[in-house]
Amino acid sequence: MKQYIDLCRKIIHEGCWIKNNRTKTRCLTIINADLEYDVENNQFPLITTRKISYKSAISEMIGHIRGYRSAKQFRDLGCNVWEANANQNKSWLSNPYRKGRDDLGRIYGVQGRSWKKHDGSHLDQLRKVIQHLKDGIDDRAEIITFYNPGEIEMGCLIPCMHTHTFSILDKKLYLTSYQRSCDVPLGLSFNQIQCFILLALVAQITNYKPGKVYHKIVNAHIYENQLSLMRDVQLKRSPYPLSKLIINPKIKKLEDIENWVSSDDFKVINYRFHGKISYPFNV
Ligand SMILES: Nc1nc(=O)c2c([nH]1)NC[C@@H]1CN(c3ccc(C(=O)N[C@@H](CCC(=O)O)C(=O)O)cc3)CN21
Ligand SMILES: O=c1ccn([C@H]2C[C@H](O)[C@@H](COP(=O)(O)O)O2)c(=O)[nH]1
């Protein structure tokens, strides 16, 4: 929790006001943040200074792993956070690539699971990385990237956590995750959980001990309409000790995640939290 609180304080003390054209809202912004999560010692980075819907964050990650492109698919898994980006942003609603209600376009998992190649075939980046790791291979490019500059206009949003690199060191698996843009009050509460479970899950299905996640953020911001809740409510609270995460040991392969895994396969132990805070969501 300390690193999250320090980041929020840093944005408030050192941030610059930047007008964001997409949302028409000003953001207090800093450039560069480095966070770490200790998966080896099961220090689950679930925010304690407000109640977090962690099941929704876990379901979102499962959806990206499955390559979902519709807000309905996310909803059916128990994650409602893509509804607004699919159906409320004016420029996406008039985008010719949008395939009707709930469509998100070629975002995140669509690129991760079916990157279009020059010859018309598709590349499954995640399957390649998992196969390599299982075979003990780290080619120093065990990279899954959702950022396809040639298809940006085909999605409702440019992927925020856009690249995940896995590394093997001393029989342990590490993850470095890159994020270009971070809504610290809302998005980061989810993204920390997602980085953690991505390493924990991939380590489990490739038979490695998990090590750490290194989470590298470029633009970290607090929207103007979120600032007083963060400064005067959330940051006034004292954090509780971190919780632990138990993942169903029956999850053994990628197909399990594709076919039956849900947020019910993730149990959070000892989650103590302060009351709910409803931050505004800027579409
Ligand atoms: N402005 C903005 N911020 C984001 O964090 C964000 C986007 N847009 N667009 C795409 C995704 C969607 N994400 C979101 C969107 C909403 C919540 C949110 O409203 N969270 C509530 C609880 C929601 C629930 O109960 O499921 C929260 O209080 O954390 C979280 C992540 C992260 N992303
Ligand atoms: O996983 C996510 C997804 C999105 N966000 C936030 C970061 C920004 O506030 C918006 C995206 O807006 P852009 O104008 O495309 O940067 O969503 C996040 O924090 N985490």
Side-chain angles (χ1 to χ4, degrees), residues 9 200 238 269:
R9 292 214 167 108
S238 304
I269 313 289

Side-chain angles (χ1 to χ4, degrees), residues 12 35 40 69 75 83 91 96 99 106 180 195 199 217 238 259 264 279:
I12 290 169
L35 304 177
E40 181 172 15
R69 71 170 279 167
R75 264 198 317 276
E83 177 69 26
S91 76
K99 294 184 178 169
R106 292 186 58 78
R180 66 169 180 88
C195 289
L199 178 58
I217 298 169
S238 304
N259 295 329
D264 294 341
Y279 282 107

Side-chain angles (χ1 to χ4, degrees), residues 46-50 239-241 243 269-274:
L46 180 56
I47 298 297
T48 62
T49 48
R50 72 180 181 98
Y240 294 116
S243 51
I269 313 289
N270 294 337
Y271 183 32
R272 280 186 73 197
F273 49 85
H274 290 268

Side-chain angles (χ1 to χ4, degrees), residues 20 22 60 108 157-158 160-161 179-183 187-188 191 194 221 223:
N20 176 249
R22 194 182 61 80
E60 187 191 350
Y108 292 85
L157 205 69
I158 306 173
C160 290
M161 261 203 321
Q179 183 159 357
R180 66 169 180 88
S181 174
C182 182
D183 175 343
L188 186 54
N191 295 143
Q194 293 165 340
H221 48 264
Y223 287 92

Side-chain angles (χ1 to χ4, degrees), residues 35-45 58 61-62 65 126 129-130 133 138 142 144 146 161 163-169 171-177 190-215 245 247 251 257 266:
L35 304 177
E36 284 186 27
Y37 315 121
D38 184 353
V39 185
E40 181 172 15
N41 293 304
N42 202 351
Q43 295 288 297
F44 191 44
I58 293 171
M61 193 41 132
I62 295 170
I65 291 175
L126 179 63
V129 168
I130 287 176
L133 298 176
D138 175 357
E142 301 306 344
I144 298 155
F146 302 143
M161 261 203 321
T163 299
H164 299 282
T165 303
F166 289 89
S167 311
I168 305 170
L169 196 69
K171 299 199 179 91
K172 272 188 221 158
L173 192 64
Y174 291 80
L175 172 63
T176 307
S177 298
F190 275 40
N191 295 143
Q192 299 198 130
I193 298 170
Q194 293 165 340
C195 289
F196 188 99
I197 67 158
L198 183 61
L199 178 58
L201 260 183
V202 171
Q204 181 163 317
I205 64 177
T206 55
N207 300 315
Y208 287 89
K209 264 191 168 177
K212 280 189 173 165
V213 181
Y214 301 101
H215 185 184
L245 181 74
I247 302 181
I251 305 173
I257 307 174
F266 299 77

Side-chain angles (χ1 to χ4, degrees), residues 216-228:
K216 299 183 177 295
I217 298 169
V218 179
N219 183 308
H221 48 264
I222 299 175
Y223 287 92
E224 189 164 22
N225 53 10
Q226 300 169 325
L227 181 60
S228 59

Side-chain angles (χ1 to χ4, degrees), residues 50 53 56 81-82 85 157 183 186-187 190 223 277 281-282:
R50 72 180 181 98
S53 312
S56 181
V81 304
W82 281 99
N85 287 108
L157 205 69
D183 175 343
L186 277 181
F190 275 40
Y223 287 92
I277 299 176
F281 175 72
N282 295 278

